[in-house]
């Protein structure tokens, strides 16, 4: 299990354990973290799993590319640190990853 | 709906009744990553089992509602009549069942399938061994996805479509042309405008079909993807107004004010038509809209921007809007190789967009539809005109 810290739009911090191999989105949905809708269930098709990666973690998670970047361009308030978190696989080196959830999804 | 009610502060008791043995799960992967084996069963669940209890939602699984007594406000389960539950508000979210082939009897032979539930996918997957021949009947999105999965798993695939072309009910010929080409290129034998005359071979395990054209196609496994019938029987028998789905208004209300319906089973008003929407987006959005109205009535009516996706091979299709009654289609070349989008117009109004490997067009179309913006077809066709700059 890997600890991920989700910061909900109202500032509430939720630290939850997520199984390796699952996505950061699944970690949020299965722990009832508010603000992640994930309509398409991780197919990189809906852009309702948008969140901001803490800058210090960007090197490990990488930046959005391809379809993901295309969709983020039209998401609600995208930033350079934006990711669709269904596209981030949980691995041991993400222990302590911190992400912030926007107040609205696309 | 249940979770949204709690989130909005609903205090009454909530009971969810389902006739499957699994807690509510995602169906789309059943014809995609679950069938290929890339996604395990425990990852299909919509919510972990314990969150139902945590939110005060009682989950009654493996229980079927047989009838509703509206006067007594009570539902009766299958089996004996003592087995019942009272309600104040009743929600039908009964989904639908696959249309069955006419001439194969009530129970399908062991090598012929339809796909709606985990149990269907499990039974089918066992038989999708490399080298076998899969016959797909029906060229809609589920049929096409199944063909793609089977090719990935190394099966030989023949797809039969009775109509003159695949995707006849749901997409324009430009989109259909693309998918025909994609599947043919990936080794699917795709035949359009052909009907099955009969299944032949052992009754419990047919081995070939005779086509009305006179020739025969042999197969090991067959799957029907020929549409969905809404589960509205119980509602109809209870005297609710139904017409290929349970009729609801813009707040999900049926002809009985204490009963609402949402998702695949409901027929709802959409831009002057009464339609059913078979999509995850609608199942969630309509249900949440109803939950909000139950807790805090008086909001605006439900006005969805429908959307849908399909994954086949490495192709990503995203559809925004509904092309119902379109009069014109224009194509916009994408900015990457293999990317393009078909935009549907009804008169001057842009009503839908099929985006193929073109997430930017999809996102833009969805946003425009939400604000009823009317983009001009000439500009859309011009790839030098940047959507994002709009
Ligand atoms: C293979 C497949 C692929 C799909 N792919 C996509 C896709 O890519 N994108 C997309 O947007 N949508 C897709 N869909 C459609 C999507 O899954 C449905 O629109 C969605 O599941 C509808 O949700 P619902 O809650 O209305 O109905 P359902 O999910 O069907 O749930 C209804 C439940 O009620 C139960 N039930 C019915 N009657 C009774 C009764 N009398 N008593 C007790 N329980 C009862 C049913 O057994 C079922 O479990 C796909 C569907 C399938 C089958
Ligand atoms: S869950 Fe749909 S894009 Fe991430």
């Amino acid at each position: 299990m890997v600890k991920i810290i989700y910061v909900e739009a109202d500032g509430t911090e939720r630290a939850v354990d997520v199984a390796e191999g699952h996505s950061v989105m699944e970690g949020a949905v299965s722990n009832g973290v508010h603000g992640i809708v994930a309509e398409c269930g991780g197919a990189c098709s809906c852009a309702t799993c948008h969140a901001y990666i803490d800058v210090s973690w960007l090197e490990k998670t990488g930046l959005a590319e391809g379809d993901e970047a295309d969709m983020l361009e039209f998401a609600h308030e995208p930033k350079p640190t934006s990711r669709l978190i269904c596209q981030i696989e949980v691995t041991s080196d993400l222990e302590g990853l911190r992400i912030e959830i926007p107040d609205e999804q696309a | 709906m249940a979770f949204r009610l709690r989130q909005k502060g609903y205090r009454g008791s909530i009971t969810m009744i389902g006739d499957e043995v699994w807690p509510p799960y995602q169906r789309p992967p059943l014809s995609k990553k679950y069938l290929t084996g890339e996604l395990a069963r425990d990852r299909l669940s919509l919510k972990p089992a314990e969150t139902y209890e945590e939110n005060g939602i009682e989950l009654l699984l493996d229980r079927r509602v047989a009838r509703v007594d509206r006067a007594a406000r009570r539902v009766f389960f299958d089996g004996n009549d003592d087995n019942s539950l009272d309600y104040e508000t009743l929600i039908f979210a009964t989904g639908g069942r696959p249309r069955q082939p006419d001439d194969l009897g009530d129970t399908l032979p062991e090598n012929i399938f339809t796909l709606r539930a985990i149990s269907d996918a499990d039974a089918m997957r066992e038989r999708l061994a490399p080298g076998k021949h899969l016959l797909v009947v029906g060229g809609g999105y589920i049929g096409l996805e199944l063909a793609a999965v089977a090719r990935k798993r190394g099966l030989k695939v023949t797809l039969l479509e009775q109509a003159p072309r695949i995707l006849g009910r749901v997409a324009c010929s430009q989109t259909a042309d693309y998918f025909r080409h994609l599947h043919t290129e990936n080794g699917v034998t795709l035949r359009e405008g052909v009907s099955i005359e009969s299944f032949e071979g052992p009754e419990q395990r047919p081995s070939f079909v005779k086509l009305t054209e006179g020739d025969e196609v042999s197969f090991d496994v067959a799957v029907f993807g020929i549409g969905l019938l809404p589960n509205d029987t119980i509602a109809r028998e209870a005297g609710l107004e139904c017409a290929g789905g349970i009729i609801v208004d813009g707040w999900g209300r049926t002809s009985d004010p204490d009963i609402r319906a949402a998702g695949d089973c409901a027929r709802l008003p959409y831009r002057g038509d009464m339609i059913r929407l078979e999509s995850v987006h609608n199942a969630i959005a309509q249900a949440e809209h109803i939950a909000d109205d139950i807790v805090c009535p008086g909001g605006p009516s439900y006005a969805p921007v429908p959307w849908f996706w399909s994954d086949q091979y490495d192709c990503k299709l995203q559809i925004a809007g509904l092309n119902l009654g379109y009069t014109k289609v224009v194509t916009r070349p994408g900015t990457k190789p293999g990317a393009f989008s078909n935009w549907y117009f009804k008169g001057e109004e842009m009503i839908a967009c099929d985006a193929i490997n073109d997430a930017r067009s999809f996102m833009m179309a969805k946003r425009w539809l939400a604000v009823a913006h009317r983009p001009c077809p000439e500009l859309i066709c011009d790839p030098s005109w940047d959507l994002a700059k709009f």
Side-chain angles (χ1 to χ4, degrees):
Chain A
M1 290 297 219
V2 176
K3 189 172 300 307
I4 310 269
I5 301 157
Y6 300 89
V7 185
E8 296 175 348
D10 65 359
T12 311
E13 281 197 20
R14 303 277 307 274
V16 301
D17 292 325
V18 187
E20 278 181 57
H22 283 212
S23 71
V24 176
M25 174 279 283
E26 287 175 283
V29 170
S30 60
N31 289 285
V33 172
H34 288 298
I36 295 297
V37 185
E39 275 178 356
C40 78
C44 196
S45 291
C46 69
T48 62
C49 64
H50 171 210
Y52 310 114
I53 309 297
D54 191 279
V55 187
S56 61
W57 284 94
L58 273 181
E59 204 175 312
K60 286 199 172 127
T61 61
L63 294 172
E65 290 170 13
D67 288 336
E68 185 190 338
D70 286 348
M71 299 222 291
L72 280 167
E73 198 181 330
F74 297 91
H76 175 71
E77 296 186 354
K79 298 181 192 169
T81 57
S82 287
R83 289 291 312 258
L84 294 177
I85 57 172
C86 67
Q87 300 302 305
I88 306 176
E89 187 182 317
V90 174
T91 52
S92 57
D93 57 346
L94 293 185
E95 175 70 30
L97 170 69
R98 200 183 146 89
I99 69 159
E100 279 177 36
I101 298 166
D103 57 357
E104 231 180 88
Q105 294 288 342
Chain B
M1 163 124 38
F3 283 90
R4 179 70 157 218
L5 282 166
R6 285 293 181 236
Q7 205 185 320
K8 293 281 166 167
Y10 182 79
R11 299 242 166 115
S13 69
I14 301 177
T15 309
M16 272 182 80
I17 307 165
D19 59 0
E20 295 186 68
V21 293
W22 304 279
Y25 58 92
Q26 310 172 56
R27 295 182 200 280
L30 298 182
S31 54
K32 308 179 182 79
K33 287 191 171 163
Y34 182 69
L35 203 57
T36 60
E38 289 165 79
L39 203 67
R41 183 186 298 169
D42 60 342
R43 293 174 74 181
L44 292 180
S45 295
L46 283 170
K47 308 264 180 194
E50 59 281 6
T51 48
Y52 292 89
E53 207 184 314
E54 283 163 15
N55 284 275
I57 296 163
E58 189 180 4
L59 202 51
L60 296 182
L61 297 176
D62 202 8
R63 300 282 293 278
R64 219 188 92 80
V65 169
R67 67 185 178 88
V68 177
D69 181 340
R70 292 202 284 135
R73 295 204 203 169
R74 182 172 295 170
V75 298
F76 291 88
F77 295 100
D78 249 0
N80 69 48
D81 257 6
D82 304 335
N83 210 337
S84 68
L85 202 65
D86 292 338
Y87 67 82
E88 250 167 60
T89 303
L90 176 65
I91 317 276
F92 276 95
T94 45
R97 60 196 182 280
R99 192 184 291 277
Q100 301 288 323
D102 297 331
D103 41 8
L104 286 171
D106 287 343
T107 328
L108 290 177
E110 62 183 39
N111 60 335
I112 300 187
F113 299 92
T114 54
L115 179 59
R116 181 71 185 172
I118 288 180
S119 48
D120 301 326
D122 288 347
M124 201 165 109
R125 187 162 57 183
E126 260 172 43
R127 291 177 179 266
L128 295 185
K132 298 276 185 201
H133 186 182
L134 174 71
L135 178 69
V136 179
V137 186
Y141 287 119
I142 289 184
L144 293 174
E145 287 179 357
L146 288 169
V149 166
R151 284 300 298 150
K152 250 189 178 164
R153 285 176 69 107
L155 282 86
K156 195 177 153 211
V157 179
T158 303
L159 187 144
L160 303 179
E161 169 59 56
Q162 187 179 329
R165 68 167 173 85
I166 55 166
L167 300 175
R169 283 183 312 130
V170 290
C172 62
S173 60
Q174 292 90 325
T175 298
D177 290 346
Y178 173 83
F179 282 101
R180 181 182 310 106
H181 182 73
L182 179 70
H183 282 273
T184 312
E185 229 182 13
N186 278 283
V188 174
T189 306
L190 198 152
R191 298 181 60 180
E192 295 163 296
V194 296
S195 322
I196 294 172
E197 166 113 0
S198 59
F199 279 83
E200 303 289 339
E203 199 174 318
Q204 266 321 301
R205 205 172 192 296
S207 53
F208 66 99
V209 286
K210 275 194 180 145
L211 302 178
T212 42
E213 277 69 15
D215 58 333
E216 294 170 353
V217 180
S218 66
F219 64 89
D220 298 300
V221 188
V223 58
F224 279 79
I226 52 174
L228 190 81
L229 298 172
N231 287 331
D232 61 0
T233 314
I234 299 166
R236 204 169 46 237
E237 286 170 358
L240 296 177
E241 200 187 329
C242 294
I246 307 168
I247 304 276
V248 297
D249 67 8
W251 292 266
R253 290 180 293 230
T254 67
S255 50
D256 178 332
D258 297 329
I259 304 183
R260 311 221 193 185
D264 285 14
C265 69
R267 187 167 287 274
L268 57 127
Y270 177 79
R271 299 178 172 218
D273 285 300
M274 289 300 287
I275 59 158
R276 282 200 311 108
L277 286 168
E278 293 168 14
S279 72
V280 169
H281 166 257
N282 177 63
I284 298 175
Q286 197 195 5
E288 291 190 345
H289 184 265
I290 292 173
D292 293 357
D293 190 59
I294 289 173
V295 177
C296 182
S301 70
Y302 178 55
V305 177
W307 82 271
F308 189 82
W309 79 95
S310 176
D311 296 326
Q312 296 164 42
Y313 311 103
D314 293 326
C315 167
K316 178 200 285 299
L317 168 72
Q318 292 162 291
I319 303 170
L322 206 63
N323 63 20
L324 213 65
Y326 69 90
T327 50
K328 179 162 89 174
V329 178
V330 302
T331 301
R332 177 179 170 83
T335 47
K336 295 178 300 193
F340 70 99
S341 49
N342 292 322
W343 298 69
Y344 298 81
F345 286 79
K346 186 177 182 177
E348 301 286 293
E349 192 187 0
M350 190 272 290
I351 54 169
C353 170
D354 298 342
I356 289 154
N357 300 317
D358 190 352
R360 302 180 84 233
S361 288
F362 167 74
M363 293 295 281
M364 202 64 235
K366 202 162 153 236
R367 183 178 291 181
W368 281 342
L369 287 165
V371 297
H373 172 64
R374 297 187 164 200
C376 146
E378 287 72 35
L379 277 182
I380 282 180
C381 295
D382 177 1
S384 66
W385 184 67
D386 187 358
L387 294 174
K389 293 247 166 61
F390 170 74

